[in-house]
Amino acid sequence: MINVTKKLEFDAGHRIPHHKGKCNNLHGHRYILQITISGFLNDNFGESDYGMLIDFSNIKNIAQKYILDIWDHAFLVYEKDQLVLDFLKSIPNHKTVILSNVPTVENLAKEIYKILEPLYEKHFSNILFLKSITLYETPTCWSEYSK
Ligand SMILES: Nc1nc2c(c(=O)[nH]1)N=C([C@H](O)[C@H](O)COP(=O)(O)OP(=O)(O)OP(=O)(O)O)CN2
Ligand SMILES: [Zn+2]
């Protein structure tokens, strides 16, 4: 088995309601998302991805469509954060992602894993699998989720 990791970045706003410190405020991050895929090398000589686990562009295209296009420059809001939900709804066409858990970096990493795992599984026909999602919220704060 071998792993490859693709790194992508997106910007999003959030807040942690009930947090007793500064994270209770509306603020944003440039999130760094690392997607690690595990499996075996393609040993079919002459194929485009010969010698690769998977072409990095294939990892990116799925994450781009199902995470980045939706989450980038959006506000990530907890479904029970009614004050902020009402505010966001009052802004015409605001890009908002409503989450069933508070948008801590742990919950976001888990949510991304939940979204991407079945997509990679389908696309790569069970030969490869999503090993982990690592999400950096700041250069010194991150969470890694794996099953
Ligand atoms: N376990 C968690 N702790 C914190 C989370 C989180 O998601 N999970 N989130 C926050 C804040 O939202 C913020 O993203 C982090 O702020 P902060 O601790 O200030 O991070 P910095 O890298 O800016 O910290 P330095 O002060 O520069 O070390 C808080 N906690
Ligand atoms: Zn934050």
Side-chain angles (χ1 to χ4, degrees), residues 14-16 23 25 27-29 31 103 137-138:
H14 81 150
R15 79 156 182 154
I16 318 273
C23 305
N25 298 304
H27 64 283
H29 297 285
Y31 289 93
E137 191 166 64
T138 77

Side-chain angles (χ1 to χ4, degrees), residues 15 17 77-89:
R15 79 156 182 154
V77 62
Y78 180 36
E79 65 181 7
K80 293 190 178 141
D81 192 352
Q82 202 56 51
L83 267 177
V84 173
L85 274 173
D86 290 345
F87 168 64
L88 295 169
K89 276 183 195 150

Side-chain angles (χ1 to χ4, degrees), residues 51-90:
M52 299 177 189
L53 181 63
I54 176 183
D55 196 310
F56 286 118
S57 63
N58 291 328
I59 305 176
K60 178 180 173 178
N61 291 341
I62 289 176
Q64 181 72 42
K65 183 170 174 192
Y66 293 96
I67 302 293
L68 271 68
D69 288 353
I70 300 163
W71 290 29
D72 185 45
H73 282 80
F75 199 90
L76 313 175
V77 62
Y78 180 36
E79 65 181 7
K80 293 190 178 141
D81 192 352
Q82 202 56 51
L83 267 177
V84 173
L85 274 173
D86 290 345
F87 168 64
L88 295 169
K89 276 183 195 150
S90 76

Side-chain angles (χ1 to χ4, degrees), residues 9-141:
E9 300 190 10
F10 64 93
D11 301 288
H14 81 150
R15 79 156 182 154
I16 318 273
H18 314 301
H19 187 258
K20 300 270 186 296
K22 56 189 176 181
C23 305
N24 187 32
N25 298 304
L26 306 181
H27 64 283
H29 297 285
R30 182 158 183 89
Y31 289 93
I32 297 177
L33 169 61
Q34 292 181 182
I35 302 162
T36 299
I37 304 283
S38 191
F40 296 97
L41 292 185
N42 180 347
D43 57 3
N44 295 322
F45 179 74
E47 287 190 356
S48 169
D49 53 357
Y50 174 60
M52 299 177 189
L53 181 63
I54 176 183
D55 196 310
F56 286 118
S57 63
N58 291 328
I59 305 176
K60 178 180 173 178
N61 291 341
I62 289 176
Q64 181 72 42
K65 183 170 174 192
Y66 293 96
I67 302 293
L68 271 68
D69 288 353
I70 300 163
W71 290 29
D72 185 45
H73 282 80
F75 199 90
L76 313 175
V77 62
Y78 180 36
E79 65 181 7
K80 293 190 178 141
D81 192 352
Q82 202 56 51
L83 267 177
V84 173
L85 274 173
D86 290 345
F87 168 64
L88 295 169
K89 276 183 195 150
S90 76
I91 305 171
N93 302 318
H94 192 274
K95 198 173 174 186
T96 302
V97 175
I98 301 173
L99 299 159
S100 54
N101 290 302
V102 281
T104 60
V105 71
E106 295 92 328
N107 283 334
L108 296 177
K110 192 173 170 187
E111 178 68 13
I112 292 171
Y113 189 100
K114 217 171 77 187
I115 294 167
L116 292 182
E117 189 198 24
L119 296 168
Y120 286 127
E121 193 179 306
K122 186 174 163 211
H123 193 79
F124 304 124
S125 322
N126 303 323
I127 303 165
L128 311 171
F129 66 94
L130 178 60
K131 185 178 167 67
S132 63
I133 288 296
T134 304
L135 188 67
Y136 282 76
E137 191 166 64
T138 77
T140 59
C141 302

